[in-house]
Amino acid sequence: MRGIARRSAITLGFDLAGDPLRPARAQEPPAWPSRTVRLLVGFAPGGSLDFAARAVAERLTQRLGQSFAVENRAAATGNIAAEAVASAAPPRDGHLLLMGNVQNIAVNAALQRDLAFDPARDLLPLAQVATVPYVLVVPAELPVRSMAELIALARREPGRLNAGTPGIGSLQHLALELLKARAGALDITHVPFRGGSEVARDLIGGRLQIGIDTLVRFGPGIEAGHIRPLATLHTERLPGRPGLPTIAETPGLEGVEAAGWIGIAGPSGMPFPALALLEAATAWAMRETDLPARMDTQGLLARFADAEAFGALVAGERERWARVVRAAGITLAERQGAAARSSQNARETAGIYDRSGSKAVVRQH
């Protein structure tokens, strides 16, 4: 795709040897964008994805001279926004885009077979802007200080450990299932919540023994000494915590890696001239502005990938996480049931905890 985008840019007269956004003198300025570009976000305001969308939109507005307006359509784990872009009525000219993440661009199709659209067919990856690293943590009072010790405890006492994630089918949940399988079918109970803040609360309260989410989410508990990070699930050690090992550094857990990512997608059929301009403008925003520093304050790692590289990443992630979903037997019915209840009621109804906080016999899987 990179070659196609580059040839399209040259055809339009973009000066790729200098500023890729400066038209050659013999050409008129490109027509895109000719009006406000709507950038849909499938999740509520205030989260990492929303922050990234607004920060990137601000710089794209500055660079391209037309407004990029962020619209939140928070429902169905991001599917409503993704479907709106995937099924956009013609002309699909790049004025309606998606700031999506691994969930609604790559994972949901494996969880929900009855989607009204096919992300692989109907969405065009345009540019990655960030990676969202996850960490695995335990309560400070749990007598383990490494992943090896945690795995040994889980094997000695099968069924004792409860692991909390932000929800059934979340990437954090899939990462847990991958860990359990790679370590030899560990008997660890998954406890789904409706958000990461509840995971942190129950870790500190002693009702969970494992949590998987972002450093930003667990940061206050870590700084207060209530939560102990054991490893990052990122492919590399985190710049801000070089002493925290990756989970794959533990013998036997090679390949247990998971990171959220954030990127821009458009509808299939979007013209290549618009793609080329957006790709170049996003590269400028990620490399020549304060966006990386701003993202760092939110626990995001700035990571630009052009349309070709981002498309390859998305394709690989779809295949990888679909295998985990099939192996773990995660179904849409579980997701709907959990979403219909509060997290506390969900835990009590599922029998994972009784009202005293003790683990009961019945498990989700």
Side-chain angles (χ1 to χ4, degrees):
M1 181 177 294
R2 179 185 300 161
I4 297 174
R6 183 178 178 85
R7 287 195 297 273
S8 300
I10 294 172
T11 300
L12 283 172
F14 301 152
D15 182 7
L16 293 179
D19 185 342
L21 296 179
R22 186 177 67 240
R25 293 179 181 177
Q27 299 290 331
E28 293 296 323
W32 185 91
S34 59
R35 60 185 184 277
T36 296
V37 177
R38 297 160 60 205
L39 189 59
L40 303 190
V41 173
F43 300 87
S48 297
L49 180 59
D50 179 70
F51 172 86
R54 294 180 187 279
V56 171
E58 179 182 339
R59 292 310 181 197
L60 293 179
T61 297
Q62 174 186 352
R63 187 65 165 171
L64 293 170
Q66 288 284 355
S67 295
F68 280 68
V70 175
E71 297 181 15
N72 296 89
R73 298 191 183 182
T77 60
N79 285 338
I80 299 301
E83 181 180 352
V85 173
S87 60
R92 300 182 176 189
D93 56 4
H95 289 89
L96 181 65
L97 302 175
L98 174 73
M99 183 66 84
N101 62 7
V102 62
Q103 198 72 44
N104 60 353
I105 294 179
V107 170
N108 285 351
L111 293 164
Q112 304 173 40
R113 302 300 176 86
D114 58 347
L115 285 179
F117 68 102
D118 179 356
R121 180 194 64 211
D122 301 326
L123 288 175
L124 181 66
L126 302 176
Q128 182 186 359
V129 299
T131 296
V132 187
Y134 297 130
V135 294
L136 186 147
V137 301
V138 299
E141 63 268 19
L142 194 71
V144 298
R145 293 188 173 274
S146 69
M147 284 301 305
E149 291 180 0
L150 180 66
I151 299 300
L153 175 61
R155 289 172 176 162
R156 282 197 312 272
E157 302 184 45
R160 173 190 169 187
L161 302 181
N162 300 310
T165 75
I168 294 172
S170 64
L171 187 63
Q172 295 92 321
H173 176 201
L174 302 191
L176 172 67
E177 297 300 338
L178 179 60
L179 167 63
K180 289 162 58 177
R182 190 61 56 87
L186 292 180
D187 186 359
I188 296 175
T189 301
H190 175 231
V191 184
F193 290 76
R194 296 186 67 172
S197 59
E198 295 180 341
V199 175
R201 180 199 65 199
D202 276 22
L203 280 164
I204 294 172
R207 293 178 291 274
L208 289 175
Q209 291 75 48
I210 300 170
I212 299 176
D213 210 336
T214 65
L215 266 176
V216 168
R217 188 72 69 184
F218 293 135
I222 293 173
E223 296 305 320
H226 302 310
I227 295 174
R228 177 184 302 122
L230 296 186
T232 174
L233 280 69
H234 197 50
T235 55
E236 303 169 351
R237 293 195 178 200
L238 302 179
R241 286 186 177 267
L244 183 66
T246 68
I247 197 168
E249 291 178 46
T250 302
L253 299 184
E254 297 84 0
V256 181
E257 299 167 344
W261 41 257
I262 296 172
I264 306 172
S268 294
M270 178 176 162
F272 281 112
L275 183 158
L277 273 171
L278 179 70
E279 186 182 78
T282 306
W284 169 83
M286 301 305 301
R287 294 168 176 165
E288 304 296 334
T289 75
D290 63 347
L291 269 182
R294 292 175 63 186
M295 287 183 173
D296 183 66
T297 66
Q298 301 297 312
L300 302 175
L301 299 179
R303 185 68 53 87
F304 173 75
D306 64 17
E308 182 179 30
F310 186 35
L313 170 67
V314 169
E317 291 281 87
R318 284 174 179 149
E319 181 179 347
R320 180 186 186 217
W321 295 117
R323 290 196 302 267
V324 174
V325 167
R326 289 192 298 268
I330 303 170
T331 67
L332 174 62
E334 290 174 319
R335 174 187 287 279
Q336 291 175 328
R341 303 184 295 269
S342 71
S343 58
Q344 180 63 35
N345 287 339
R347 296 195 300 276
E348 294 173 356
T349 302
I352 294 172
Y353 293 119
D354 63 20
R355 293 184 181 275
S356 69
S358 301
K359 185 170 70 66
V361 175
V362 181
R363 297 189 181 90
Q364 176 193 339
H365 298 298

